[in-house]
């Protein structure tokens, strides 16, 4: 009983560590003609993954650039809706990645990114990895992997839902303006027709001019 409880506590602790050691995850607003940069300290030899997606705004595109501590460009893409880039840090230092919306003059964007640094912490750090896992430990490892997959799917579907909602709201706004425009045009045409018909049936006064000798 105590062994099972200890295993479950280790699983929960590993889940908490995942949120601390795997970098940054953020959704932020990027105004028009703006550039936003983020920084991450990375140790040499660490495997990292940068994943981003434009959730709302304009054509759902953004410029992205990743640089190492010396300013060397590791990744650069222009007007991308979403992408993922994996690299291994070649040196110690602060890495910089920036998102730019400078090509847009009036449309702000909502950008999501997930910058993962390193691998997951071991689920059983105090266990001897030479020996085989027990049935309970194997089940916990499977649950741990399944929970990570669930988190990834939830994030993916939240982004898709937010993007779909933004498109629907934008379409609803366009339909509303189109309907108002049609109503105004219909009103103007109706008034014009009434004025034109009244001009056909109105009495016209004839002016007679006498020419004297």
């Amino acid at each position: 009983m105590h062994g099972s409880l200890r295993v479950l506590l280790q699983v929960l602790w590993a889940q908490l560590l995942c949120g601390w050691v795997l970098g940054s995850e953020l959704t932020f607003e990027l105004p028009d003609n703006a550039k936003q940069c983020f920084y991450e300290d990375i140790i040499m030899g660490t495997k990292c993954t940068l994943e981003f997606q434009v959730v709302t705004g304009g054509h759902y595109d953004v410029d992205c650039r990743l640089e190492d501590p010396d300013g060397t460009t590791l990744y650069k893409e222009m007007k991308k809706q979403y992408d993922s880039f994996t690299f291994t840090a070649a040196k110690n230092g602060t890495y910089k990645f920036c998102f730019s919306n400078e090509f847009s003059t009036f449309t702000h964007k909502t950008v999501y990114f997930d910058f993962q640094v390193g691998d997951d912490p071991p689920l059983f750090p105090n266990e001897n990895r030479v020996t085989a896992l027990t049935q309970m430990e194997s089940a916990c490892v499977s649950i741990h992997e399944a929970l990570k997959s669930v988190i990834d799917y939830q994030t993916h579907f939240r982004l898709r839902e937010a993007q779909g909602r933004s498109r629907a709201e934008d379409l609803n706004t366009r339909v509303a303006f189109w309907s108002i425009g049609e109503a105004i045009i219909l009103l103007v045409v109706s008034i014009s027709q009434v004025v034109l018909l009244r001009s056909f049936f109105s009495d016209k006064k004839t002016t007679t001019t006498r020419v004297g000798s």
Side-chain angles (χ1 to χ4, degrees):
M1 182 64 183
H2 293 288
S4 301
L5 180 59
R6 179 171 58 86
V7 170
L8 291 176
L9 289 175
Q10 287 177 333
V11 173
L12 294 176
W13 177 249
Q15 290 295 327
L16 291 175
L17 288 178
C18 287
W20 293 343
V21 301
L22 294 185
S24 305
E25 183 177 8
L26 182 66
T27 301
F28 66 98
E29 294 284 339
L30 185 62
D32 52 282
N33 293 315
K35 181 179 180 181
Q36 183 70 45
C37 294
F38 302 89
Y39 302 86
E40 189 75 27
D41 293 329
I42 304 176
I43 301 175
M44 182 178 62
T46 304
K47 184 178 179 181
C48 308
T49 300
L50 173 62
E51 181 179 359
F52 68 92
Q53 178 177 344
V54 181
V55 182
T56 62
H59 296 288
Y60 300 90
D61 54 355
V62 72
D63 297 342
C64 182
R65 183 186 184 98
L66 174 65
E67 297 179 355
D68 67 4
D70 295 333
T72 304
T73 301
L74 303 178
Y75 171 83
K76 180 180 179 181
E77 287 293 340
M78 311 293 290
K79 295 184 178 181
K80 295 286 290 187
Q81 295 184 351
Y82 59 89
D83 202 5
S84 179
F85 175 68
T86 301
F87 68 99
T88 300
K91 57 189 68 177
N92 298 328
T94 302
Y95 287 72
K96 179 176 73 171
F97 56 101
C98 301
F99 299 95
S100 173
N101 193 30
E102 295 174 324
F103 59 86
S104 180
T105 56
F106 59 89
T107 304
H108 75 280
K109 310 289 176 63
T110 301
V111 181
Y112 162 84
F113 75 84
D114 182 13
F115 192 66
Q116 300 179 2
V117 180
D119 298 324
D120 292 342
L123 190 58
F124 303 101
N126 297 325
E127 296 292 333
N128 185 5
R129 308 307 298 177
V130 178
T131 60
L133 296 176
T134 64
Q135 184 177 0
M136 176 63 72
E137 292 172 346
S138 299
C140 289
V141 171
S142 300
I143 294 173
H144 176 66
E145 296 297 328
L147 287 175
K148 290 197 301 182
S149 299
V150 169
I151 292 173
D152 291 339
Y153 279 119
Q154 284 181 336
T155 302
H156 173 73
F157 284 117
R158 285 195 187 102
L159 294 175
R160 292 290 298 273
E161 187 271 337
Q163 192 175 67
R165 184 175 64 251
S166 175
R167 291 180 185 271
E169 291 175 352
D170 182 59
L171 180 60
N172 179 67
T173 301
R174 295 185 181 184
V175 170
F177 281 121
W178 178 261
S179 301
I180 293 173
E182 282 188 331
I184 294 174
I185 293 174
L186 181 61
L187 181 61
V188 172
V189 170
S190 300
I191 294 175
S192 301
Q193 288 178 344
V194 171
V195 172
L196 183 62
L197 289 175
R198 290 188 62 182
S199 66
F200 288 156
F201 296 99
S202 61
D203 295 333
K204 294 183 178 180
K205 295 181 180 181
T206 305
T207 303
T208 304
T209 306
R210 294 182 180 181
V211 180
S213 55

